Amino acid sequence: MPTYRDEAVVLRTHSLGEADRIVTMLGRHRGKIRAVAKGVRRTTSRFGSRLEPFMVVDLQCYEGRSLDVIQQAESLGAYGAPIAADYATFTAANVIVETADRLTDDASLQQYLLLVGALRSLARGEHGPSLTLDSYLLRALSIAGWAPSFGDCAVTGEPGPHTAFVAQLGGMVADEVAPPGAPRLTPETIGLLGALLTGDWQAVEESGASTRAQASGVIAAYTQWHLERGLRSLPHVDRGAVPA
């Protein structure tokens, strides 16, 4: 049968039978990969620990009818253990891989690199887990074609600043098109949202707790609106963690 190699991030796993596991991955070149890791749950498995969520692997598989079969897996980024060691980091990472799973089927180098970068940042503790998550969500949605507007009105194009944010309309909107009860954002929150989207980490780190909380709520609403159903892992995120 034809074989292939790819670099991939493990998104999730499911047990199969007594010793096997189905591994869902995002490949750098192939996009979504679903493959069987035979015997991986045995203690004698050669690569069991390499095929856990959040790991980056160099993968060799052969193609099957419904599921591919993993032949080799070499670790390229061992992010699983440091992520799992901290609850806030672990919950943020779960939302990130669930979002990647939902957003990406076909190959997308931008989505792949963004995912690897987010997991690496979480594993290294470069920023607060909640901030890394929020930045990832905004960037992933933008790559998918759903970039929010934080300046001009998303409906009329009227120059900002505006204060009303409506996820269903694409971001900040002018007062004349804002529905009753639309959330009103502070200038500080709007600035933080823009900084998270562009990766201006100096501005992000200078933001206050209340500003971060409002931004997180906006990002969660915007993400779940475009994904059309809730992220199961999102309610478990620990938003109380502060960056080192």
Side-chain angles (χ1 to χ4, degrees):
M1 293 185 180
T3 63
Y4 64 87
R5 296 190 71 91
D6 202 356
E7 179 182 314
V9 177
V10 179
L11 303 177
R12 54 189 169 91
T13 64
H14 294 93
S15 297
L16 179 66
E18 295 183 357
D20 302 341
R21 183 174 287 156
I22 297 174
V23 185
T24 301
M25 297 165 284
L26 182 63
R28 183 186 182 105
H29 302 294
R30 296 180 70 91
K32 191 75 65 65
I33 299 170
R34 295 185 74 242
V36 175
K38 293 184 178 294
V40 74
R41 291 160 59 202
R42 296 193 181 103
T43 56
T44 56
S45 171
R46 291 173 296 130
F47 47 70
S49 62
R50 303 169 196 167
L51 295 174
E52 296 292 340
F54 321 131
M55 300 291 282
V56 183
V57 293
D58 178 18
L59 194 69
Q60 179 173 306
C61 299
Y62 66 80
E63 297 178 356
R65 291 184 179 180
S66 57
L67 294 170
D68 298 343
V69 178
I70 298 171
Q71 294 176 301
Q72 293 180 348
E74 299 295 334
S75 178
L76 297 176
Y79 305 136
I83 286 175
D86 177 75
Y87 180 75
T89 302
F90 178 73
T91 56
N94 272 289
V95 178
I96 287 173
V97 295
E98 184 182 354
T99 302
D101 194 5
R102 294 268 291 276
L103 276 180
T104 313
D105 284 317
D106 298 328
S108 170
L109 182 59
Q110 284 183 293
Q111 291 283 10
Y112 178 81
L113 294 177
L114 179 67
L115 174 61
V116 173
L119 294 177
R120 181 190 302 118
S121 181
L122 284 175
R124 295 177 177 175
E126 294 175 352
H127 310 288
S130 182
L131 296 175
T132 300
L133 169 61
D134 287 342
S135 181
Y136 169 81
L137 292 174
L138 286 176
R139 295 188 194 187
L141 289 168
S142 297
I143 292 171
W146 297 317
S149 173
F150 296 134
D152 298 344
C153 175
V155 176
T156 66
E158 179 184 339
H162 305 291
T163 61
F165 184 91
V166 184
Q168 300 91 320
L169 298 180
M172 306 303 299
V173 296
D175 288 342
E176 56 266 27
V177 296
R184 298 284 172 166
L185 307 186
T186 66
E188 292 78 12
T189 298
I190 297 170
L192 174 57
L193 290 167
L196 287 166
L197 180 58
T198 60
D200 182 355
W201 286 104
Q202 180 176 349
V204 170
E205 300 289 0
E206 293 172 353
S207 61
S210 61
T211 299
R212 295 180 185 186
Q214 188 176 48
S216 292
V218 165
I219 294 167
Y222 191 78
T223 300
Q224 296 192 97
W225 168 261
H226 283 290
L227 293 181
E228 298 182 349
R229 64 182 190 272
L231 291 164
R232 291 178 298 173
S233 52
L234 190 57
H236 303 290
V237 172
D238 182 358
R239 294 288 188 181
V242 295

